[in-house]
Amino acid sequence: MERAKIREMFTAIPQTEKYLENYKANSPKTAEAYATNLATLIDGLNITTFEELKNIEVGRIYDLAAERGWSKQTINQYVANLQRFINFCADEGMNVKKLRYKKLKSQTEPTYVFSFAEEKAILESITSKRLRCMLELFLAIGSRKSAVQNIKLTDICGNELTITDKGDKTTTKKLSPELVAMLTDYINTDRRETMERFKAAGGEDKGYLFVANFVNGNPRQDYSKGLRMNDTALNEQVKNAARKAGVRNWQKVVPHSFRKRFGIDTYYSNGCDIVQTQKAMNHASANQTAYYVGKYDISDEEKEQIAAEKGKPDTQAEQIKELLAKIETLTATVARQAEVINNLISAAN
Protein backbone atom coordinates (compact mmCIF):
# COMPACT_ATOMS: atom_id res chain seq x y z
CA MET A 1 0.00 0.00 0.00
CA GLU A 2 1.46 3.35 -1.09
CA ARG A 3 1.62 6.24 1.36
CA ALA A 4 -0.44 8.26 -1.14
CA LYS A 5 -3.39 5.94 -0.45
CA ILE A 6 -3.06 6.54 3.27
CA ARG A 7 -3.05 10.31 2.73
CA GLU A 8 -6.16 9.98 0.53
CA MET A 9 -7.85 8.05 3.36
CA PHE A 10 -6.99 10.79 5.87
CA THR A 11 -8.43 13.46 3.53
CA ALA A 12 -11.66 11.58 2.75
CA ILE A 13 -12.19 10.19 6.26
CA PRO A 14 -10.39 12.46 8.78
CA GLN A 15 -11.61 10.31 11.68
CA THR A 16 -9.07 7.67 10.62
CA GLU A 17 -6.16 10.06 11.18
CA LYS A 18 -7.42 10.89 14.67
CA TYR A 19 -7.71 7.17 15.40
CA LEU A 20 -4.15 6.47 14.26
CA GLU A 21 -2.71 9.41 16.20
CA ASN A 22 -3.96 7.62 19.30
CA TYR A 23 -1.66 4.67 18.51
CA LYS A 24 1.36 6.70 17.45
CA ALA A 25 1.87 7.68 21.07
CA ASN A 26 2.49 4.02 21.94
CA SER A 27 4.26 2.77 18.83
CA PRO A 28 4.70 4.58 15.50
CA LYS A 29 5.32 1.21 13.81
CA THR A 30 2.00 -0.12 15.07
CA ALA A 31 0.21 3.01 13.88
CA GLU A 32 1.74 2.66 10.42
CA ALA A 33 0.69 -0.99 10.23
CA TYR A 34 -2.87 -0.10 11.27
CA ALA A 35 -2.94 2.74 8.71
CA THR A 36 -1.83 0.44 5.88
CA ASN A 37 -4.34 -2.20 6.95
CA LEU A 38 -7.25 0.24 7.13
CA ALA A 39 -6.32 2.00 3.87
CA THR A 40 -6.16 -1.35 2.03
CA LEU A 41 -9.65 -2.23 3.27
CA ILE A 42 -11.12 1.17 2.42
CA ASP A 43 -9.53 1.15 -1.03
CA GLY A 44 -10.64 -2.43 -1.76
CA LEU A 45 -14.24 -1.72 -0.77
CA ASN A 46 -14.32 1.68 -2.55
CA ILE A 47 -15.39 3.48 0.64
CA THR A 48 -15.18 7.27 0.42
CA THR A 49 -17.04 8.58 3.50
CA PHE A 50 -17.11 7.99 7.23
CA GLU A 51 -20.82 7.18 7.01
CA GLU A 52 -20.08 4.27 4.68
CA LEU A 53 -17.27 3.03 6.87
CA LYS A 54 -19.14 3.10 10.17
CA ASN A 55 -22.09 1.18 8.65
CA ILE A 56 -20.00 -1.44 6.88
CA GLU A 57 -21.20 -5.04 6.96
CA VAL A 58 -18.64 -7.72 7.72
CA GLY A 59 -20.06 -9.72 4.79
CA ARG A 60 -18.53 -7.21 2.39
CA ILE A 61 -15.10 -7.94 3.86
CA TYR A 62 -15.68 -11.67 3.32
CA ASP A 63 -16.49 -10.98 -0.34
CA LEU A 64 -13.31 -8.93 -0.74
CA ALA A 65 -11.34 -11.66 1.02
CA ALA A 66 -12.68 -14.31 -1.38
CA GLU A 67 -11.79 -12.11 -4.35
CA ARG A 68 -8.22 -11.58 -3.13
CA GLY A 69 -7.65 -15.03 -1.66
CA TRP A 70 -7.14 -13.90 1.94
CA SER A 71 -6.71 -16.51 4.66
CA LYS A 72 -8.87 -16.60 7.79
CA GLN A 73 -5.95 -15.14 9.72
CA THR A 74 -5.75 -12.18 7.32
CA ILE A 75 -9.51 -11.60 7.52
CA ASN A 76 -9.26 -11.55 11.32
CA GLN A 77 -6.51 -8.93 11.14
CA TYR A 78 -8.53 -6.62 8.89
CA VAL A 79 -11.75 -6.97 10.87
CA ALA A 80 -9.96 -6.58 14.22
CA ASN A 81 -8.41 -3.33 13.01
CA LEU A 82 -11.78 -2.10 11.75
CA GLN A 83 -13.29 -3.04 15.09
CA ARG A 84 -10.63 -1.03 16.93
CA PHE A 85 -11.39 1.97 14.71
CA ILE A 86 -15.19 1.80 15.15
CA ASN A 87 -14.92 1.29 18.90
CA PHE A 88 -12.45 4.18 19.18
CA CYS A 89 -14.96 6.43 17.40
CA ALA A 90 -17.70 5.27 19.77
CA ASP A 91 -15.52 6.01 22.81
CA GLU A 92 -14.80 9.47 21.39
CA GLY A 93 -18.55 10.23 21.43
CA MET A 94 -19.16 9.94 17.69
CA ASN A 95 -22.51 8.57 16.51
CA VAL A 96 -21.30 5.00 16.06
CA LYS A 97 -22.35 1.65 17.49
CA LYS A 98 -19.54 -0.57 18.73
CA LEU A 99 -18.72 -3.42 16.39
CA ARG A 100 -18.88 -6.97 17.72
CA TYR A 101 -17.09 -9.72 15.83
CA LYS A 102 -16.16 -13.31 16.61
CA LYS A 103 -12.79 -14.33 15.21
CA LEU A 104 -12.70 -16.98 12.54
CA LYS A 105 -10.68 -20.00 13.60
CA SER A 106 -7.53 -20.07 11.52
CA GLN A 107 -6.54 -23.34 9.91
CA THR A 108 -3.05 -22.18 9.06
CA GLU A 109 -0.17 -24.38 10.10
CA PRO A 110 2.32 -23.16 12.73
CA THR A 111 5.64 -21.86 11.49
CA TYR A 112 7.74 -24.76 10.22
CA VAL A 113 10.82 -25.56 12.30
CA PHE A 114 13.73 -27.43 10.75
CA SER A 115 15.78 -29.97 12.70
CA PHE A 116 19.06 -29.31 14.49
CA ALA A 117 20.94 -31.20 11.75
CA GLU A 118 19.15 -29.12 9.08
CA GLU A 119 20.09 -25.95 10.97
CA LYS A 120 23.77 -26.81 10.61
CA ALA A 121 23.31 -27.80 6.94
CA ILE A 122 21.61 -24.48 6.11
CA LEU A 123 24.41 -22.43 7.65
CA GLU A 124 27.10 -24.47 5.91
CA SER A 125 25.39 -24.06 2.50
CA ILE A 126 25.35 -20.24 2.55
CA THR A 127 27.95 -18.29 0.56
CA SER A 128 26.50 -14.79 1.07
CA LYS A 129 28.21 -12.99 3.95
CA ARG A 130 25.11 -10.86 4.56
CA LEU A 131 22.67 -13.77 4.74
CA ARG A 132 25.02 -15.85 6.88
CA CYS A 133 25.32 -12.97 9.35
CA MET A 134 21.55 -12.49 9.48
CA LEU A 135 20.79 -16.16 10.11
CA GLU A 136 23.57 -16.45 12.68
CA LEU A 137 22.02 -13.46 14.46
CA PHE A 138 18.56 -15.04 14.41
CA LEU A 139 20.00 -18.16 16.01
CA ALA A 140 22.18 -16.25 18.48
CA ILE A 141 19.67 -13.74 19.88
CA GLY A 142 16.25 -15.08 18.82
CA SER A 143 14.83 -11.70 17.79
CA ARG A 144 12.06 -11.26 15.28
CA LYS A 145 12.65 -10.57 11.58
CA SER A 146 11.70 -6.88 11.69
CA ALA A 147 14.03 -6.28 14.64
CA VAL A 148 17.00 -7.75 12.79
CA GLN A 149 16.12 -5.83 9.59
CA ASN A 150 16.08 -2.56 11.55
CA ILE A 151 19.49 -2.98 13.20
CA LYS A 152 21.79 -0.03 12.47
CA LEU A 153 25.57 0.17 12.59
CA THR A 154 25.35 2.42 15.65
CA ASP A 155 23.50 -0.34 17.52
CA ILE A 156 26.71 -2.40 17.70
CA CYS A 157 29.36 -1.50 20.27
CA GLY A 158 32.14 -4.03 20.71
CA ASN A 159 30.48 -7.34 21.47
CA GLU A 160 27.17 -5.77 22.51
CA LEU A 161 24.13 -5.28 20.29
CA THR A 162 21.25 -2.99 21.25
CA ILE A 163 18.11 -4.22 19.53
CA THR A 164 14.48 -3.06 19.54
CA ASP A 165 11.96 -5.86 19.26
CA LYS A 166 8.16 -6.19 19.29
CA GLY A 167 6.41 -3.57 21.41
CA ASP A 168 9.44 -1.27 21.15
CA LYS A 169 11.26 -3.29 23.84
CA THR A 170 14.95 -2.41 23.74
CA THR A 171 17.45 -4.96 25.05
CA THR A 172 21.21 -5.42 24.93
CA LYS A 173 22.54 -8.75 23.66
CA LYS A 174 26.04 -10.15 24.06
CA LEU A 175 27.54 -11.47 20.83
CA SER A 176 30.18 -14.18 20.59
CA PRO A 177 33.66 -13.19 19.34
CA GLU A 178 33.06 -15.38 16.25
CA LEU A 179 29.84 -13.54 15.37
CA VAL A 180 31.44 -10.12 15.97
CA ALA A 181 34.27 -11.06 13.60
CA MET A 182 31.75 -12.27 11.01
CA LEU A 183 29.74 -9.02 11.21
CA THR A 184 32.89 -6.88 11.04
CA ASP A 185 34.05 -8.70 7.91
CA TYR A 186 30.63 -8.21 6.22
CA ILE A 187 30.54 -4.49 7.13
CA ASN A 188 34.04 -3.85 5.78
CA THR A 189 33.59 -5.78 2.53
CA ASP A 190 30.19 -6.53 1.01
CA ARG A 191 28.24 -3.78 2.78
CA ARG A 192 30.84 -1.11 2.08
CA GLU A 193 31.03 -2.01 -1.61
CA THR A 194 27.23 -2.00 -1.96
CA MET A 195 26.84 1.38 -0.27
CA GLU A 196 29.61 2.91 -2.37
CA ARG A 197 27.66 2.02 -5.53
CA PHE A 198 24.41 3.20 -3.95
CA LYS A 199 25.77 6.60 -2.88
CA ALA A 200 27.47 7.10 -6.25
CA ALA A 201 24.02 6.71 -7.86
CA GLY A 202 22.49 9.37 -5.58
CA GLY A 203 21.34 7.27 -2.63
CA GLU A 204 21.89 8.05 1.04
CA ASP A 205 23.32 5.62 3.57
CA LYS A 206 20.79 5.50 6.43
CA GLY A 207 23.08 3.29 8.47
CA TYR A 208 21.19 -0.01 8.32
CA LEU A 209 23.41 -2.99 9.05
CA PHE A 210 21.82 -5.25 6.46
CA VAL A 211 21.27 -3.56 3.10
CA ALA A 212 19.75 -4.85 -0.14
CA ASN A 213 21.73 -5.54 -3.29
CA PHE A 214 22.05 -2.56 -5.58
CA VAL A 215 22.56 -2.28 -9.33
CA ASN A 216 23.62 1.14 -10.63
CA GLY A 217 20.85 2.98 -12.40
CA ASN A 218 18.00 0.82 -11.10
CA PRO A 219 15.07 3.31 -11.03
CA ARG A 220 12.96 1.12 -8.72
CA GLN A 221 15.26 1.54 -5.72
CA ASP A 222 13.76 3.58 -2.89
CA TYR A 223 16.57 5.98 -2.02
CA SER A 224 14.67 7.38 0.98
CA LYS A 225 14.87 4.05 2.84
CA GLY A 226 18.64 3.88 2.61
CA LEU A 227 18.58 0.51 0.83
CA ARG A 228 17.13 -1.32 3.87
CA MET A 229 16.69 -5.01 3.03
CA ASN A 230 13.01 -5.80 2.37
CA ASP A 231 10.83 -8.72 3.47
CA THR A 232 10.39 -10.35 0.07
CA ALA A 233 14.11 -10.56 -0.66
CA LEU A 234 14.88 -11.98 2.78
CA ASN A 235 12.11 -14.59 2.60
CA GLU A 236 13.24 -15.75 -0.84
CA GLN A 237 16.89 -16.02 0.19
CA VAL A 238 16.02 -18.01 3.33
CA LYS A 239 13.94 -20.49 1.32
CA ASN A 240 16.69 -20.78 -1.29
CA ALA A 241 19.29 -21.49 1.42
CA ALA A 242 17.05 -24.22 2.87
CA ARG A 243 16.58 -25.72 -0.58
CA LYS A 244 20.34 -25.81 -1.23
CA ALA A 245 20.87 -27.45 2.16
CA GLY A 246 18.50 -30.27 1.23
CA VAL A 247 15.79 -29.44 3.78
CA ARG A 248 12.85 -31.62 2.80
CA ASN A 249 10.19 -28.94 3.47
CA TRP A 250 12.33 -26.02 2.33
CA GLN A 251 9.28 -24.19 0.91
CA LYS A 252 7.98 -23.79 4.48
CA VAL A 253 11.17 -22.35 5.95
CA VAL A 254 10.84 -18.63 6.75
CA PRO A 255 12.92 -16.22 8.87
CA HIS A 256 10.62 -16.83 11.85
CA SER A 257 11.62 -20.51 11.71
CA PHE A 258 15.03 -19.42 13.02
CA ARG A 259 13.48 -17.62 16.01
CA LYS A 260 11.57 -20.77 16.89
CA ARG A 261 14.72 -22.83 16.41
CA PHE A 262 16.48 -20.43 18.82
CA GLY A 263 13.77 -21.08 21.41
CA ILE A 264 14.12 -24.85 21.15
CA ASP A 265 17.93 -24.73 21.22
CA THR A 266 17.91 -22.38 24.25
CA TYR A 267 15.40 -24.53 26.12
CA TYR A 268 17.22 -27.85 25.74
CA SER A 269 20.72 -26.43 26.11
CA ASN A 270 19.83 -24.86 29.46
CA GLY A 271 18.38 -27.89 31.17
CA CYS A 272 14.78 -27.16 30.08
CA ASP A 273 14.70 -23.92 32.09
CA ILE A 274 11.47 -22.33 30.80
CA VAL A 275 11.96 -19.02 32.68
CA GLN A 276 15.44 -18.49 31.24
CA THR A 277 14.09 -19.32 27.77
CA GLN A 278 11.20 -16.88 28.28
CA LYS A 279 13.62 -14.05 29.08
CA ALA A 280 15.82 -14.91 26.10
CA MET A 281 12.83 -14.85 23.74
CA ASN A 282 11.34 -11.66 25.18
CA HIS A 283 7.97 -13.33 25.81
CA ALA A 284 5.38 -11.79 28.11
CA SER A 285 4.76 -15.04 30.00
CA ALA A 286 6.35 -18.45 30.57
CA ASN A 287 3.11 -20.07 29.33
CA GLN A 288 3.66 -18.51 25.93
CA THR A 289 7.21 -19.87 25.85
CA ALA A 290 6.08 -23.32 26.98
CA TYR A 291 3.61 -23.46 24.10
CA TYR A 292 6.26 -22.16 21.74
CA VAL A 293 8.84 -24.85 22.44
CA GLY A 294 6.54 -27.63 23.63
CA LYS A 295 4.46 -28.18 20.50
CA TYR A 296 7.42 -29.40 18.48
CA ASP A 297 8.06 -33.10 18.93
CA ILE A 298 11.81 -33.65 18.63
CA SER A 299 13.68 -36.87 19.29
CA ASP A 300 15.71 -37.64 22.42
CA GLU A 301 18.78 -37.91 20.20
CA GLU A 302 18.28 -34.35 18.94
CA LYS A 303 17.78 -33.07 22.50
CA GLU A 304 21.09 -34.65 23.49
CA GLN A 305 22.84 -33.08 20.46
CA ILE A 306 21.53 -29.63 21.39
CA ALA A 307 22.54 -30.02 25.03
CA ALA A 308 26.01 -31.25 24.02
CA GLU A 309 26.79 -28.67 21.31
CA LYS A 310 24.79 -25.60 22.30
CA GLY A 311 25.26 -26.06 26.03
CA LYS A 312 29.05 -25.92 25.90
CA PRO A 313 30.83 -22.58 26.49
CA ASP A 314 31.76 -21.15 23.11
CA THR A 315 35.25 -20.02 23.97
CA GLN A 316 38.19 -20.94 26.17
CA ALA A 317 37.74 -17.71 28.12
CA GLU A 318 34.19 -18.68 29.01
CA GLN A 319 35.37 -22.12 30.12
CA ILE A 320 37.94 -20.51 32.42
CA LYS A 321 35.29 -18.13 33.78
CA GLU A 322 32.99 -21.06 34.47
CA LEU A 323 35.81 -22.95 36.25
CA LEU A 324 36.70 -19.93 38.40
CA ALA A 325 33.05 -19.60 39.44
CA LYS A 326 33.05 -23.24 40.55
CA ILE A 327 36.29 -22.72 42.51
CA GLU A 328 34.79 -19.64 44.20
CA THR A 329 31.71 -21.61 45.20
CA LEU A 330 33.84 -24.47 46.52
CA THR A 331 36.06 -22.06 48.51
CA ALA A 332 33.00 -20.45 50.11
CA THR A 333 31.66 -23.89 51.03
CA VAL A 334 34.96 -24.92 52.63
CA ALA A 335 35.06 -21.65 54.59
CA ARG A 336 31.54 -22.22 55.94
CA GLN A 337 32.40 -25.77 56.92
CA ALA A 338 35.60 -24.62 58.71
CA GLU A 339 33.56 -22.04 60.63
CA VAL A 340 31.09 -24.72 61.75
CA ILE A 341 33.94 -27.04 62.87
CA ASN A 342 35.63 -24.20 64.82
CA ASN A 343 32.35 -23.38 66.57
CA LEU A 344 31.89 -27.04 67.56
CA ILE A 345 35.46 -27.20 68.94
CA SER A 346 34.93 -23.99 70.92
CA ALA A 347 31.69 -25.32 72.36
CA ALA A 348 33.34 -28.61 73.35
CA ASN A 349 36.14 -26.75 75.22
Side-chain angles (χ1 to χ4, degrees):
M1 171 62 63
E2 297 176 359
R3 289 185 178 274
K5 290 288 184 183
I6 296 175
R7 288 194 293 271
E8 286 176 14
M9 176 182 73
F10 289 161
T11 302
I13 309 174
Q15 292 87 347
T16 57
E17 186 169 17
K18 185 177 181 181
Y19 156 67
L20 293 162
E21 284 293 335
N22 182 60
Y23 284 96
K24 279 184 180 178
N26 298 319
S27 171
K29 293 177 186 175
T30 299
E32 186 173 355
Y34 286 171
T36 301
N37 183 298
L38 201 56
T40 300
L41 193 64
I42 288 171
D43 182 60
L45 297 174
N46 296 315
I47 292 173
T48 56
T49 67
F50 178 61
E51 196 67 26
E52 289 180 275
L53 185 58
K54 77 175 187 179
N55 292 314
I56 189 174
E57 296 179 0
V58 176
R60 288 184 62 192
I61 301 178
Y62 291 157
D63 292 338
L64 179 64
E67 178 187 320
R68 299 195 175 182
W70 290 347
S71 66
K72 290 181 180 179
Q73 185 178 12
T74 302
I75 297 171
N76 285 335
Q77 289 174 350
Y78 278 106
V79 177
N81 191 31
L82 176 64
Q83 185 181 44
R84 277 190 292 266
F85 170 68
I86 296 296
N87 293 349
F88 167 80
C89 292
D91 292 338
E92 288 291 303
M94 301 178 201
N95 184 24
V96 181
K97 287 184 179 180
K98 287 195 172 185
L99 179 65
R100 298 185 181 278
Y101 171 70
K102 186 176 180 180
K103 280 188 176 182
L104 297 175
K105 290 185 178 180
S106 177
Q107 301 299 318
T108 56
E109 296 181 8
T111 302
Y112 176 74
V113 179
F114 41 81
S115 70
F116 184 58
E118 288 173 330
E119 170 190 322
K120 296 173 71 175
I122 290 172
L123 293 177
E124 289 171 0
S125 71
I126 296 172
T127 55
S128 165
K129 290 182 181 180
R130 176 191 58 191
L131 185 60
R132 178 66 185 264
C133 285
M134 292 189 83
L135 300 191
E136 290 281 5
L137 261 180
F138 280 127
L139 292 170
I141 64 177
S143 293
R144 295 166 179 83
K145 177 176 68 173
S146 59
V148 172
Q149 286 175 294
N150 287 325
I151 294 173
K152 292 198 171 185
L153 297 175
T154 52
D155 294 329
I156 302 175
C157 181
N159 70 333
E160 292 187 344
L161 169 66
T162 301
I163 190 163
T164 303
D165 215 324
K166 187 177 181 181
D168 289 343
K169 295 178 183 176
T170 300
T171 54
T172 300
K173 304 283 187 179
K174 295 278 188 182
L175 305 180
S176 70
E178 294 80 7
L179 185 50
V180 171
M182 193 180 295
L183 287 168
T184 302
D185 179 51
Y186 158 70
I187 292 169
N188 292 332
T189 55
D190 290 20
R191 186 191 184 280
R192 184 179 64 186
E193 292 170 6
T194 298
M195 295 313 298
E196 283 175 355
R197 293 196 304 272
F198 183 58
K199 289 188 287 186
E204 179 185 354
D205 188 348
K206 297 286 186 177
Y208 288 106
L209 173 61
F210 297 114
V211 294
N213 292 325
F214 178 75
V215 179
N216 279 328
N218 185 346
R220 293 175 296 176
Q221 291 292 344
D222 186 352
Y223 295 131
S224 65
K225 292 183 179 178
L227 210 63
R228 175 184 177 275
M229 192 173 185
N230 62 53
D231 292 347
T232 302
L234 179 55
N235 289 340
E236 287 179 355
Q237 289 179 32
V238 166
K239 289 184 189 298
N240 192 42
R243 179 183 60 79
K244 286 183 177 179
V247 176
R248 186 178 61 178
N249 293 312
W250 62 268
Q251 302 96 328
K252 296 181 180 180
V253 177
V254 293
H256 203 64
S257 299
F258 289 82
R259 172 168 164 77
K260 299 210 170 188
R261 188 69 239 178
F262 166 83
I264 294 170
D265 290 348
T266 302
Y267 181 65
Y268 287 109
S269 65
N270 286 287
C272 300
D273 186 334
I274 198 67
V275 175
Q276 188 172 343
T277 307
Q278 174 201 347
K279 291 178 180 178
M281 299 196 72
N282 199 18
H283 278 157
S285 72
N287 289 338
Q288 184 181 8
T289 309
Y291 171 75
Y292 218 77
V293 301
K295 64 181 178 178
Y296 298 102
D297 184 23
I298 63 177
S299 66
D300 290 338
E301 181 184 359
E302 184 172 350
K303 293 175 186 176
E304 291 174 2
Q305 286 179 325
I306 295 169
E309 296 194 31
K310 295 277 186 176
K312 291 179 181 177
D314 292 332
T315 65
Q316 188 177 10
E318 288 176 342
Q319 290 176 353
I320 294 172
K321 185 178 179 181
E322 186 179 274
L323 183 59
L324 288 174
K326 289 180 180 178
I327 293 172
E328 186 178 347
T329 301
L330 182 60
T331 302
T333 302
V334 171
R336 285 196 301 271
Q337 289 175 342
E339 184 180 354
V340 170
I341 292 170
N342 289 332
N343 289 338
L344 289 173
I345 293 172
S346 299
N349 293 332

